[in-house]
Every structure is written in C-alpha cells, then in structure tokens.
Amino acid sequence: MNGSPEPNALSLLLPAATRFLFFTGKGGVGKTSLACATSIALADRGRRVLLVSTDPASNLDEVLGQELNGTPTPIPGVSNLLALNLDPEAAAAAYRERLVGPYRGKLPDAIVRGMEEQLSGACTTEIAAFDEFSRLLGQPEATADFDHVIFDTAPTGHTLRLMTLPQAWTGFLDTNTTGNSCLGPLAGLQKQRAIYANAVAALADGRRTTLLLVSRAQPGALAEAERTSSELAAVGVRNQRLIVNGLFKASGSDPVALALQRRGAKALDASAPFLSLLPVTEVSLRSHNLIGLPALRTLAQDRSEALQTSAQASATVSLPPLGSLTELVNDLAHTGRGVIMTMGKGGVGKTTLAAAIATELARRGHQVHLSTTDPAAHVAAAAGHLKGLHVSRIDPRAETRAYVEQVMNTTGADLDADARALLEEDLRSPCTEEIAVFRAFARTVAQGEDAFVVLDTAPTGHTLLLLDATEAYHREVARKASETPAEVRALLPRLRDRAFTRVLLVTLPEATPVHEAAALQEDLRRAQIEPFVWIINQSLATSGSRDPLLLARGRSEVPYIGEVAETLSARTVLVPWVPEEPVGPDKLRQLFSANHASQTPPAL
C-alpha cells in the first residue's frame, strides 16, 4: 500500500477534507454509510455540510432517518448538516417545462405535445438530473452557504457516465451547428454551458475535489475501484484515495471467521499493485446495520465494539421455512428454455447468483446464454468455462457503433449531404448509447425462445430506467411497428409472460437491500411483471460461525429474513455465506452444497 494504511481512520481524513467529496464505488460497498458518517463528523466539527445523493435508488432517507427530497433538508440531531436527493423524475419534469413552457399558447397544441413527447425519454431524465448535479458543482452561488458538498454517488457505471457527461455535452455543443439534438432545441443546453464548464473544472481541481473510492476486500469490488480510478483519472479527476471498508479480523479459531479473514487478505494481496498507487484508509467491519445517527457517528471514530459473549448472545433463534438454491434450479430447469433475470441493489451478489444458476443449468445439459446489461459486472470471470455455456456482455461502445452504422446505412442511405450531416450530428449525442443498449437487451431476451438466457441486470436505478424504456418503446411500436425490429416489438410481452421470464429479486439480509428490493418489486408490478422468487444471499445466520462479531451480524439478519419470507415474498430462497470466493464453475457449486436453509439453524 502507499505507506501504512490508516486503520478506522475516517476521522483522520476530516481536517484535510476538500470542498467537494465524492464517494464512489461498486454497489453495496458502503458508499452511503461512509458518506453519511463523514458528513456528520464534519458537521459535528462545526463545518456547514450539504450531503447529496445522485443515485436514482438513493437510500439516504433510511440511513439518516429523515425523509428527503430535491430541496436541502436539515437533519435533526446534526447541526450544520442538510441533505437532499436528486430526484431524476422531478428534475426531468422541471427540465421539460423549462424548454416547453415558453411555447405554450404561442404554438399550436399539436406542436407543443410533439415537443413534450420528444422530451419524454430516458436520456432527458439523465440530462435533467445532470443539470441539477452540475448546478451544485459548477454554480458557486448554489452552495455558497456550505463549507463542504458531499456526493453519495450512484453505482459505478452510472457514476462514470454522470462524470463524463460534462465533456460529452460540451463537445456536442461545440460541434452541433443545427440547433437541434435528440433532446429538442439546444437553447436549453446552451444556457447551461458555463455551468458545465465550471463543473468540469471543479472535478479536475484537486484543491477543491477529492474522489473517495470505496471498496470491500473482495476481488470484484477492488477491480471495479481500480477501473474507476483509471477512467476518472483519464477525464481529469486525479485527487483520489481508497477506503477499504468492512475489513474483518477473526478473534479466535472459528473456521468461518478464519475463512472470511483469508478471503479478504487474499483479495488485498492480489490488488497490491493498485493499492500501492493511492493513499488507503481501512474501516473495520461492524456488527450491526449502519442505520441512524448513533451508528454513523461510531463509524467515523476509532472505536472498538463491545460484543456480547454471553449465553444470550449465542441463544438459538428460529427462521421461517426457506428454500434452497438447488430446489430453485430444479424448478427453473423444468421449462427447458426462457429468460432468468437477477435484479436488486448493487453489491448483493446478482452476478454471482446469475453465474451459479447458469453454470448449474449447463452442467445439467441445457444450452445457456449468460449475459449482463451492467457495465460494471464481471460475468465471464464469475462463470468461467463450461460446455453448453455461452457468456457475453452487452458492450455499450460496440453496440453504439453498430447502431450508428445501421442507422446511417438505412435511414441515412437516401438523404442528401446536408440531411446526412444533420443525422450524424444527432447520433453523436450521448443519448444514442441508451437506444443501442436497449436494442441489444431486446435481442438477448429473444434468444430465450430456443435456450436458457440468464441475464445479470444492472443495479436497481438503471434497471428501472431500462424497464421505463421498454414501456416507451412499446408505446412507440404501436404507432409505427413496421420500423421496429421484431425482438423489440415482442420484448414487453416476453417480460410480462411468467412462463417465459422469471425475475429473481436478490437481496442481502440487511435493511437497505431488502427495502430497496421491495420498492423494485412494486415498480415491477406496476409494469405488470411479477417476481418469481426472492433470494437472500450471503447469510451469516446459517453459516455456523461462533465468532462474536459474526454471531452478532447473524442475529441482526433475522428480522430482515423474516420480513422477506413472511411479508414480501411468496417464495424465498436463502443462500449462506460460503468459505471460498464463489468464482468459476467449481467454486460456484459451494452455493448448492452449503447448509440447507430448511435445516435447524445454528445457535446465534
């Protein structure tokens, strides 16, 4: 590592905190907890702090215990701290009204409706949310009342897109000569140009901005942190440091505890070259959920926990009847084909479970295509090589290139030079990628007619945008079906067909992943898509550990396991934590041979 790591030393970061702090990393690594703890600690020191979530699936409300919206809201119990959620839908509505409002009553209603329709897509939502982000970063008067602005950013793929949009849109404005884009008139974007430029400058200024890369001692999370570090450095964000969160050290000879410690040490050793490049802060694993102000305050302090070792701490508790992953795959295999989709909050293990199910189906002789819509996923590394298994990834850049070429060769084939130039300019907009990825998703789903397709989907916020795009495409298809590929026309009916598409909601036995999955379930039901099963992953409650900290964490899981099984889901599968990193066909089999959830649970 770059010098000696600072154990549990969030407090040591505070005196040197820059004006803008970005907490980013793979989903589920603890960005929100660390951003909240840092914000509270700075505010407790008398600094005026604004905490902002740019994640469409933000859980700041639950962590802080305060309902939030798009307006800075004081946090009771923390003087000097205000927080807000950037609401993409509200931002999009306000953005549309800014552009369309001036024309109401001046242009025919049909033209105004056409402008509103043009501005109803997912890319409008993204640019509108980015407008709000840029205002906080690039408009000094917007945050003049605060000493620090701390961003709890979305999972990594979204963050990269969010942070590179200033340059993408600035370049588009520089080269566009027609005054139009896929978002309609560029006047609305031109007005933001100075703010975008200021945002780019602030991101690149190490005296004002620090990027805090958050990771766990896990191969996937560290690899994602390294990729993020490199890509953001390439766009000028170079003042970076790494926080390794949730580090665990066994307190005795408990086999589960020693295995967990070994897994962490092995992951850190493998990433030693990357760790040597950045200052590193280590934060220890806590025994409890980091919800509420007292828990968040202890996170920012170098305090060890007092753990129970009494008979009460190890008393046996009961769990509701739960299924196993083996039973689930038995049921899935009966259909012989179709689409299986893993969904849930980032970091809950969707990629691992998708790979496990895909490899098990292939091992049973089925033809299986495993793919992902998540730019941050590593399905190929997770699944390895197995007969009957084809692994792919929907590559946004490759799909965009292919889509642009297709459009120019079809729609652009009969256009004159000026019209082709206009089309080329429009296709250079960042919104083109959204359409290209969507079409690739539809093609992949269509393959479920002849084989199994296992789709590891992106973290929740992106998944919802994807489903919203599905609805938008379906409405558009009804109007001009002849211009739309067959797989796109059939996509929404396929997703709604419970005999064809099985949605697996994946969660951890913790408050935020469970409640975020519950919100996703409601959104899916509004889209007439019913989840097939909930999978509670990486449970320590059934691991058999006697380590005091792991016992405490296992006990804290029980209410959330009960909430899922008894309230949220008609069918629940529980997958215990396993000793070895489940990567590759052999190691993934641990998930099928682990303690069966329906057996008597170990003492907690």
Side-chain angles (χ1 to χ4, degrees):
M1 296 186 184
N2 186 6
S4 299
E6 303 159 359
N8 264 20
L10 278 184
S11 59
L12 300 181
L13 302 179
L14 303 180
T18 53
R19 175 163 168 70
F20 300 110
L21 300 175
F22 284 86
F23 286 81
T24 190
K26 184 177 171 66
V29 294
K31 297 184 299 293
T32 298
S33 300
L34 292 169
C36 289
T38 302
S39 299
I40 292 168
L42 284 168
D44 285 347
R45 292 180 172 220
R47 311 295 289 174
R48 298 167 300 167
V49 181
L50 176 63
L51 174 60
V52 181
S53 175
T54 65
D55 190 342
S58 171
N59 62 319
L60 275 187
D61 303 57
E62 182 170 30
V63 174
L64 292 172
Q66 171 63 44
E67 186 174 345
L68 302 174
N69 52 36
T71 302
T73 301
I75 303 302
V78 189
S79 300
N80 303 315
L81 176 60
L82 285 78
L84 65 86
N85 282 325
L86 291 183
D87 182 340
E89 295 302 324
Y95 179 84
R96 282 192 293 270
E97 188 57 30
R98 273 205 314 273
L99 293 187
V100 177
Y103 299 100
R104 297 187 193 279
K106 298 179 182 178
L107 294 176
D109 289 346
I111 294 179
V112 173
R113 284 196 300 272
M115 294 172 67
E116 290 176 328
E117 182 178 351
Q118 189 177 21
L119 293 166
S120 65
C123 53
T124 300
T125 302
E126 184 171 38
I127 193 63
F130 174 70
D131 272 351
E132 294 297 309
F133 164 82
S134 294
R135 182 177 61 83
L136 295 171
L137 190 62
Q139 194 172 13
E141 58 271 25
T143 57
D145 294 336
F146 299 98
D147 300 306
H148 301 281
V149 182
I150 297 178
F151 292 91
D152 169 30
T153 61
T156 307
H158 176 75
T159 301
L160 291 174
R161 184 161 173 76
L162 190 66
M163 287 189 169
T164 56
L165 266 172
Q167 293 182 346
W169 280 106
T170 299
F172 185 54
L173 293 174
D174 283 338
T175 59
N176 187 292
T177 59
T178 64
N180 292 293
S181 76
C182 62
L183 297 175
L186 279 174
L189 297 177
Q190 289 283 6
K191 292 176 183 177
Q192 299 295 100
R193 189 165 187 167
I195 295 175
Y196 289 173
N198 288 341
V200 172
L203 286 169
D205 185 351
R207 295 166 299 179
R208 288 188 284 167
T209 298
T210 304
L211 181 75
L212 295 155
L213 294 152
V214 183
S215 181
R216 297 273 184 170
Q218 299 166 351
L222 287 163
E224 194 57 40
E226 183 171 4
R227 184 176 75 91
T228 304
S229 173
S230 175
E231 293 196 16
L232 292 181
V235 296
V237 187
R238 296 186 177 87
N239 183 19
Q240 305 178 5
R241 68 181 303 134
L242 179 69
I243 300 177
V244 181
N245 190 29
L247 273 180
F248 174 75
K249 293 183 180 178
S251 60
S253 59
D254 177 74
V256 175
L258 291 173
L260 180 57
Q261 179 177 309
R262 281 195 302 270
R263 276 178 58 170
K266 184 177 179 180
L268 292 174
D269 287 345
S271 294
F274 167 56
L275 297 176
S276 69
L277 300 176
L278 298 174
V280 178
T281 297
E282 295 181 351
V283 178
S284 298
L285 182 69
R286 297 288 165 162
S287 65
H288 52 274
N289 280 303
L290 293 166
I291 302 289
L293 302 185
L296 292 168
R297 280 193 166 102
T298 63
L299 183 62
Q301 299 167 353
D302 189 9
R303 248 187 232 176
S304 59
E305 295 183 281
L307 297 169
Q308 287 183 305
T309 56
S310 64
Q312 179 185 3
S314 59
T316 300
V317 299
S318 60
L319 296 175
L322 302 166
S324 70
L325 200 58
T326 299
E327 294 166 344
L328 174 61
V329 174
N330 289 343
D331 287 350
L332 293 172
H334 284 319
T335 61
R337 64 171 192 136
V339 174
I340 300 163
M341 299 175 67
T342 56
M343 290 187 174
K345 177 180 169 63
V348 297
K350 296 186 302 295
T351 300
T352 297
L353 287 169
I357 291 168
T359 55
E360 184 63 19
L361 288 170
R363 190 175 278 112
R364 297 182 184 195
H366 296 283
Q367 293 298 308
V368 183
H369 180 192
L370 172 63
S371 188
T372 182
T373 64
D374 186 350
H378 305 279
V379 289
H385 301 285
L386 201 65
K387 183 180 179 181
L389 177 65
H390 171 66
V391 182
S392 71
R393 181 176 75 88
I394 295 176
D395 183 336
R397 292 182 181 179
E399 295 298 337
T400 301
R401 285 195 300 270
Y403 175 68
V404 169
E405 183 177 349
Q406 178 190 350
V407 171
M408 294 305 299
N409 289 338
T410 53
T411 304
D414 299 324
L415 299 179
D416 60 29
D418 289 342
R420 281 182 64 85
L422 170 61
L423 181 59
E424 287 174 339
E425 286 189 353
D426 201 32
L427 290 170
R428 282 200 296 271
S429 118
C431 307
T432 299
E433 181 182 301
E434 191 80 27
I435 300 170
V437 170
F438 174 81
R439 289 161 66 97
F441 171 74
R443 287 198 308 272
T444 304
V445 166
Q447 295 177 25
E449 293 288 351
D450 303 311
F452 279 110
V453 171
V454 181
L455 270 166
D456 164 37
T457 60
T460 308
H462 181 75
T463 300
L464 294 178
L465 290 176
L466 190 62
L467 293 173
D468 179 66
T470 304
E471 283 279 11
Y473 265 85
H474 195 62
R475 290 193 299 268
E476 187 69 9
V477 164
R479 194 163 60 85
K480 51 180 183 180
S482 62
E483 301 177 18
T484 308
E487 60 267 20
V488 174
R489 292 198 299 272
L491 178 58
L492 194 55
R494 282 175 171 145
L495 293 180
R496 287 173 171 166
D497 182 355
R498 296 185 67 185
F500 183 81
T501 298
R502 308 292 178 88
V503 173
L504 318 181
L505 282 183
V506 183
T507 185
L508 300 177
E510 300 171 7
T512 297
V514 166
H515 297 154
E516 190 164 312
L520 173 58
Q521 178 166 258
E522 291 306 308
D523 285 315
L524 289 168
R525 286 172 171 168
R526 280 193 287 272
Q528 301 174 45
I529 299 171
E530 182 65 28
F532 181 68
V533 67
W534 281 57
I535 303 177
I536 302 172
N537 194 26
Q538 299 177 27
S539 171
L540 285 163
T542 57
S543 69
S545 175
R546 293 293 185 272
D547 181 271
L549 191 150
L550 300 187
L551 276 169
R553 286 192 68 87
R555 175 170 289 279
S556 73
E557 294 175 1
V558 174
Y560 302 108
I561 294 172
E563 183 178 356
V564 172
E566 297 167 1
T567 305
L568 295 172
S569 177
R571 179 175 186 177
T572 306
V573 165
L574 189 138
V575 179
W577 184 87
V578 293
E580 296 185 76
E581 193 74 32
V583 175
D586 294 336
K587 299 294 176 62
L588 285 170
R589 298 203 79 178
Q590 293 175 96
L591 302 176
F592 297 93
S593 59
N595 296 335
H596 193 289
S598 63
Q599 295 174 349
T600 303
L604 292 177

